[in-house]
Amino acid sequence: MFDFLEGYDVLGAFWMTVKLTALSAVGSLIWGTLLAAMRVSPVPLMRGFGTAYVNIVRNIPLTVIILFCSLGLADVFGVTMGSDDFKIQGFRLAVFGLVAYTAAFVCEALRSGINTVPMGQAEAARAIGLNFTQTLRLIVLPQAFRAVIGPLANVLIALTKNTTVAAAIGVAEAAYLMKTMIENEAQTLLIGAVFAFGFVVLTLPTGLFLGWLGKRLAVKR
Amino acid sequence: MKLRKVTAASAAVLALSLAATACGSDKKDDDASSSSSGGSGKVKIGIKFDQPGAGLKKPDGSFAGFDVDVARYVAKELGYQPNQIDFVETKSADRESALARGDVKFIVATYSITDARKAKVDFAGPYLLAHQDLLVKADSDISKGTDLNGKKLCSVTGSTSAQNVQKSIAPKANLREYSSYSECLSGLQSGAVDALTTDDDILAGYAAQDQYKGKFKLAGLKLSNENYGIGVKKGDTATVDKINKALEKMVSDGSWQKAVTANFGPANYKNEPAPKIGAIVK
């Protein structure tokens, strides 16, 4: 029944999905944290930039962002991401697009976490002489992160599924292989089911683990 | 208490919408049964909407292309008037399921006959023998498949053409894949890619478009054989026989050649002679 799987590197395709997810997750966590810091910072210019970025980027469809990375950045402006090989270029452009997009959601999740930290904590930090960066880094963000593990898990799961958009610019991940297999094998339902199952295998443990971690680490107030 | 009200309301909405869809599908069944009897009612034909030259839905809602001409001719021979034809978009990925569900009576959509597909659907024809080819800039010096090694090439994600290049023709070609050929065309125009590859009739259709006239040329390579057939639901041999008769008539009365020239001619497309019914060129 599953003989159509022969000759296809399904695991390799999912490994590409995992690589895209992992790199984009790390990148968007860093960029998203910076954005969140900007949104709560006392400098109006940074607050303005953070707000504008989040509101623009999260409202643009991901397909448009990824296609723009390839059609616009690479083809028109010649941003090659350090490689002339389209395979490597496509992968890096996809990670770039995914980070740019996902960071907006990480930022907003984190900002809601910052709002759970009582005002008194920040005031106490100021009172002992910490400046804004120190207050954020040592007092507010550690508590905020522990409060938003659940929402961040949602963002991570969405990111895993969003990597399929990279197939539009030829990154050989799971959705790309699915298109190829459907083109050759004419087995739409079965192939679709195999790949759906693959994504559940990837995301379900992520959700369960981070849900458990979120409960464990939550700051009891 | 409030929650319960909301639940009740949403349940009511759900029930209503279910009832509404049930009515809708009843009506669809009526349509389908009347059209299958032939002569009266509508016939649904699957085509591509986005391939100039083969099957294209124009901005004004009309349809043009070689596949469309073949579909109209066959429908006429099956006893349908032009106003009884409903063209439905069947993308590559859902051609088999559209036939299996009976959404369309037959599909004329650059549908290559392959063994894997023959296991799921029946084919009438072939009605056109196409070859994988390259579309290059008018002044390009690419003249054979191996010239592609090291060159930048564009095709559509998952397409057979892209796979052919990677497997056999030029494994060292730098292949960029997009979700449609139109995206490749802009890269070809700006010089970001050197060539675009798919079946020659589709390429000819693009090159024949007004905005690209004179800018691109076909390299004229025969990199593969694509036998286009008309897809019919598995087991519906009566329709296959009728379509085959219609295709034979289309070739013998000259309409076939006329349709080829009209749709692909402007790009200097050299077509193969009309294929014999059932004769598949490997």
Side-chain angles (χ1 to χ4, degrees), chain B residues 252-271:
Chain B
S252 62
D253 73 1
S255 321
W256 187 87
Q257 187 59 47
K258 236 195 305 186
V260 170
T261 317
N263 288 300
F264 307 126
N268 286 331
Y269 173 72
K270 292 175 195 66
N271 69 282

Side-chain angles (χ1 to χ4, degrees), chain B residues 26-248:
Chain B
D26 279 353
K27 202 164 169 253
K28 204 168 154 199
D29 286 348
D30 288 347
D31 277 356
S33 56
S34 59
S35 71
S36 60
S37 60
S40 65
K42 295 235 173 198
V43 61
K44 288 194 171 128
I45 305 177
I47 59 165
K48 292 257 175 83
F49 277 13
D50 57 351
Q51 287 181 344
L56 182 71
K57 184 175 188 177
K58 294 203 226 157
D60 63 5
S62 65
F63 300 94
F66 180 68
D67 283 347
V68 174
D69 291 346
V70 171
R72 289 205 174 112
Y73 193 96
V74 169
K76 191 186 78 191
E77 291 300 307
L78 294 183
Y80 296 100
Q81 298 301 312
N83 59 9
Q84 288 176 301
I85 301 175
D86 260 351
F87 284 115
V88 180
E89 181 172 31
T90 41
K91 291 189 183 282
S92 296
D94 54 39
R95 287 183 294 207
E96 288 82 22
S97 42
L99 283 173
R101 284 196 306 262
D103 288 358
V104 291
K105 195 164 171 70
F106 57 90
I107 290 181
V108 196
T110 60
Y111 202 177
S112 297
I113 303 175
T114 66
D115 290 338
R117 287 172 184 163
K118 261 197 282 190
K120 305 282 279 185
V121 297
D122 281 346
F123 282 103
Y127 63 95
L128 184 73
L129 175 59
H131 304 284
Q132 186 180 349
D133 199 358
L134 305 175
L135 188 70
V136 291
K137 277 198 166 169
D139 57 356
S140 168
D141 55 359
I142 294 176
S143 58
K144 52 185 191 295
T146 43
D147 282 354
L148 285 172
N149 280 317
K151 286 269 168 46
K152 294 172 192 161
L153 181 69
C154 194
S155 192
V156 163
T157 311
S159 65
T160 1
S161 321
Q163 294 177 48
N164 277 346
V165 170
Q166 283 173 313
K167 267 192 209 136
S168 45
I169 300 162
K172 288 205 188 95
N174 196 354
L175 183 66
R176 163 159 283 175
E177 288 168 276
Y178 281 130
S179 46
S180 80
Y181 294 111
S182 315
E183 287 151 9
C184 286
L185 271 178
S186 69
L188 188 59
Q189 215 171 0
S190 75
V193 293
D194 300 312
L196 160 57
T197 185
T198 180
D199 301 350
D200 49 7
D201 59 319
I202 300 171
L203 293 174
Y206 277 113
Q209 278 183 306
D210 283 337
Q211 69 265 42
Y212 299 124
K213 249 178 204 154
K215 285 185 182 158
F216 305 134
K217 66 172 184 194
L218 288 171
L221 314 176
K222 292 179 178 175
L223 299 172
S224 74
N225 295 313
E226 307 292 335
N227 301 275
Y228 289 172
I230 295 180
V232 180
K233 188 176 189 167
K234 187 89 194 155
D236 191 356
T237 43
T239 308
V240 171
D241 290 344
K242 275 191 229 165
I243 294 177
N244 279 337
K245 282 215 183 68
L247 286 175
E248 273 168 354

Side-chain angles (χ1 to χ4, degrees), chain A residues 26-194:
Chain A
V26 172
S28 53
L29 198 62
I30 296 169
W31 180 221
T33 311
L34 285 174
L35 280 172
M38 283 187 215
R39 290 209 68 173
V40 296
S41 88
V43 186
L45 189 68
M46 291 174 104
R47 272 207 311 271
F49 172 80
T51 313
Y53 181 95
V54 166
N55 281 314
I56 291 170
V57 172
R58 75 171 169 186
N59 290 309
I60 300 175
L62 180 60
T63 317
V64 176
I65 294 180
I66 298 273
L67 269 181
F68 172 78
C69 285
S70 190
L71 284 169
L73 285 184
D75 284 3
V76 179
F77 297 115
V79 180
T80 54
M81 289 278 168
S83 173
D84 275 336
D85 188 329
F86 283 143
K87 290 263 165 308
I88 303 171
Q89 214 184 84
F91 177 78
R92 291 181 185 167
L93 287 167
V95 170
F96 179 80
L98 283 167
V99 168
Y101 178 80
T102 314
F105 294 92
V106 171
C107 165
E108 287 306 88
L110 210 50
R111 205 163 60 92
S112 75
I114 290 173
N115 289 336
T116 65
V117 181
M119 201 59 178
Q121 297 268 331
E123 285 167 354
R126 293 292 289 172
I128 59 168
L130 300 182
N131 62 25
F132 172 74
T133 325
Q134 285 169 323
T135 310
L136 200 63
R137 190 164 55 88
L138 300 171
I139 310 294
V140 178
L141 276 184
Q143 297 185 57
F145 266 112
R146 290 168 66 175
V148 294
I149 290 174
L152 281 182
N154 281 345
V155 175
L156 182 63
I157 287 170
L159 171 66
T160 314
K161 296 181 289 177
N162 284 343
T163 54
T164 52
V165 177
I169 60 169
V171 179
E173 44 69 64
Y176 169 97
L177 184 68
M178 188 173 87
K179 281 186 192 177
T180 310
M181 285 176 68
I182 289 176
E183 171 94 16
N184 293 352
E185 306 294 332
Q187 292 262 31
T188 321
L189 270 183
L190 265 181
I191 295 174
V194 166

